[in-house]
Amino acid sequence: MHTLQGWTALVTGASSGIGEACAIALSQAGARLVLVGRREERLQALASKLAAPSHILLLDVRSRSDVEAAVASLPPEFASVDILVNNAGLALGTSLAHEASLDDWETVIDTNCKGVVYLTHALLPGMVQRNRGHIVNLGSVAATYPYPGGNIYGATKAFLHQFSQNLKADLVGSRVRVTDVQPGMVETEFTLVRLKGDAQRASKHYEGMEALKAADIADIVLWCATRPAHVNINVVEVMPADQAFGTFAIKRH
């Protein structure tokens, strides 16, 4: 494995789940960390156990002005971000499209799409100028496989996939890489957030099967980030052994 010594990684949604696991894994490989999230106590607790220096950014990625100001305020030793892990994302509710909340849809779009765009736009020029860097977008198998109630969430992850692919097209020939990591079922706070705090329903989501863990995804992100500079991992689709592809939805009358 190539070391990340001397590299700086910025991870959004670092206060829990996949983001926290990615921060730990990248730190263990030698990278300095910029930890982005909205829960200061959790970020402080994470920073205290990292193997490399870290800097905390309290930030809501949905705010363009806040993202721009936060990136501009990075201390010199953290300002040259080499690895951007766009992990902050969510789903809200499982309602069918005609019953869904438009407010929920907007929140999902603002987080999953605009947040990624804002961070990428702020950090990509520096990567291109230095001719080294890696953008890792945390997508989902929902980008490819639709399911009832997935509606806006699946659409945002399809956007993320196509955005990643088009970034790669623009960056061809440079040493700035782009990867879309698409997990299936991962047992984190994701489902609890989606179900708006209904812990009983959230626990049943993983009942009777072994889901992926946040550390499994972090291991994949680290592997992608530590390939030789001429190697770009475009897309990684990963599911637990207990999950597979759904059948077509058929309504029988």
Side-chain angles (χ1 to χ4, degrees), residues 92-97 99-100 104 147-151 194-196 201:
L92 289 174
T94 57
S95 299
L96 301 180
E99 299 167 338
D104 285 351
Y147 57 90
N151 44 70
R194 182 173 205 165
L195 298 176
K196 302 183 179 181
R201 280 182 67 201

Side-chain angles (χ1 to χ4, degrees), residues 5-226:
Q5 201 72 40
W7 285 56
T8 300
L10 185 150
V11 180
T12 67
S15 58
S16 66
I18 292 172
E20 179 181 18
C22 285
I24 293 170
L26 293 167
S27 172
Q28 289 172 343
R32 293 181 296 270
L33 264 297
V34 179
L35 307 172
V36 176
R38 293 184 294 173
R39 293 177 286 188
E40 185 173 12
E41 286 186 10
R42 288 201 181 192
L43 293 176
Q44 294 283 6
L46 172 59
S48 69
K49 61 185 179 185
L50 293 183
S54 62
H55 176 73
I56 289 173
L57 274 185
L58 290 178
L59 175 64
D60 185 340
V61 299
R62 296 175 295 175
S63 169
R64 174 178 170 177
S65 59
D66 287 356
V67 167
E68 291 170 348
V71 170
S73 75
L74 287 170
E77 63 270 32
F78 293 95
S80 297
V81 174
D82 303 295
I83 301 170
L84 167 60
V85 181
N86 280 312
N87 165 73
L90 79 167
L92 289 174
T94 57
S95 299
L96 301 180
H98 53 286
E99 299 167 338
S101 159
L102 188 57
D103 288 338
D104 285 351
W105 275 13
E106 284 195 322
T107 299
V108 173
I109 292 168
D110 288 347
T111 307
N112 296 5
C113 298
K114 289 184 178 180
V116 169
V117 168
Y118 296 155
L119 263 301
T120 301
H121 192 267
L123 295 172
L124 184 58
M127 294 182 185
V128 172
Q129 186 178 25
R130 295 185 297 274
N131 199 33
R132 83 169 190 176
H134 198 158
I135 296 170
V136 181
N137 292 324
L138 261 297
S140 169
V141 296
T144 306
Y145 310 108
Y147 57 90
N151 44 70
I152 207 67
Y153 175 71
T156 62
K157 293 305 183 178
F159 166 86
L160 196 62
H161 172 69
Q162 200 62 22
F163 184 54
S164 302
Q165 299 292 73
N166 278 275
L167 286 174
K168 178 69 181 79
D170 286 347
L171 295 165
V172 65
S174 79
R175 292 301 170 98
V176 181
R177 303 180 295 184
V178 185
T179 302
D180 180 18
V181 177
Q182 301 182 337
M185 294 175 73
V186 186
E187 190 164 4
T188 64
E189 292 180 1
F190 173 86
T191 302
L192 187 63
V193 172
R194 182 173 205 165
L195 298 176
K196 302 183 179 181
D198 189 334
Q200 188 173 6
R201 280 182 67 201
S203 65
K204 287 184 177 179
H205 186 69
Y206 306 104
E207 198 170 73
M209 58 89 66
E210 184 177 5
L212 297 171
K213 298 174 177 58
D216 298 325
I217 307 307
D219 186 51
I220 291 168
V221 170
L222 179 62
W223 179 79
C224 293
T226 52

Side-chain angles (χ1 to χ4, degrees), residues 215-246:
D216 298 325
I217 307 307
D219 186 51
I220 291 168
V221 170
L222 179 62
W223 179 79
C224 293
T226 52
R227 294 310 87 209
H230 69 287
V231 177
N232 190 97
I233 308 300
N234 295 341
V235 185
V236 179
E237 182 182 290
V238 54
M239 289 181 175
D242 287 344
Q243 183 183 18
F245 318 101

